[in-house]
Amino acid sequence: MLRFSFIFLCLFLTACGGSDGISSLSASGASYCGMPSGAQRIAGKVTSVHDGDTITVNGESIRLGSIDAPELAQAYGSQSRDHLSALVLGQQVTVTYAEKDQYDRVLGTVFTPDCSNVNLSQVASGAAWYYEAYKCEIDIQLRMAYATAQTTAKASSRGLWAAPAMAPWVFRNGVDAKVPASCPNGDGPSG
């Protein structure tokens, strides 16, 4: 129980801008709620939740970055969507981002007014995977938070981890995603 409490204290400090001596700014130097983030912002009400990692804000499709939720046709897909809906549907949020994906969706991090990182909440609750294949695109502070959240959820058999789970990228493509051993910015593996 003490280990579990310590991990969540670390996640809380990360969400609140607490420092572990690692740079708290993203490559762009932008931050939001004390966390590294994309420099662009969208603020508004969440009008729909498509699945466990895609929402609509101000008519803009938002794909939650750094995570991948089960497809709706997969085991735990609808529960993942329902969890995200409970967190944000009808609520005001701020989305920070730096780019759009190949489907013209904003690829961002969603924050609630109290500065909770919704993407990280999905992973911590066992409603989504940390998408390590793209870990070099985020700050090491966030990499560590996502990796810790997933490890804790898995060890506690939370959400999708309560039963054997197939990663959505394997479900979609039939192959596992290639995870970089280290990142070009010298941060090394996330663990």
Side-chain angles (χ1 to χ4, degrees), residues 28-191:
S28 69
S31 68
Y32 186 82
C33 288
M35 299 180 80
S37 71
Q40 298 180 64
R41 309 272 187 271
I42 296 172
K45 184 186 257 188
V46 177
T47 55
S48 69
V49 175
H50 175 69
D51 56 25
D53 57 26
T54 309
I55 63 175
T56 302
V57 177
N58 296 345
E60 188 84 50
S61 183
I62 312 293
R63 171 67 167 77
L64 280 64
S66 303
I67 73 170
D68 201 2
E71 298 295 330
L72 292 175
Q74 275 187 269
Y76 208 78
S78 61
Q79 293 94 327
S80 176
R81 179 197 58 215
D82 294 347
H83 185 267
L84 183 56
S85 291
L87 292 174
V88 299
L89 186 60
Q91 304 297 314
Q92 293 292 321
V93 298
T94 299
V95 180
T96 64
Y97 70 101
E99 63 185 351
K100 291 189 174 190
D101 68 10
Q102 70 265 26
Y103 306 107
D104 202 36
R105 298 176 298 187
V106 167
L107 188 57
T109 304
V110 179
F111 292 94
T112 61
D114 69 355
C115 285
S116 293
N117 179 328
V118 174
N119 306 37
L120 186 59
S121 294
Q122 281 290 90
V123 175
S125 68
W129 277 260
Y130 163 40
Y131 208 165
E132 280 191 282
Y134 296 100
K135 71 182 186 177
C136 294
E137 296 178 12
I138 61 173
D139 182 89
I140 190 170
Q141 175 184 352
L142 291 174
R143 269 186 252 155
M144 291 170 47
Y146 281 113
T148 300
Q150 180 164 294
T151 298
T152 303
K154 193 172 186 178
S156 302
S157 298
R158 254 187 247 127
L160 62 90
W161 301 111
M166 177 185 290
W169 53 86
V170 174
F171 180 81
R172 287 188 299 265
N173 306 319
V175 295
D176 209 355
K178 184 176 187 225
V179 176
S182 64
C183 297
N185 61 5
D187 291 336
S190 63

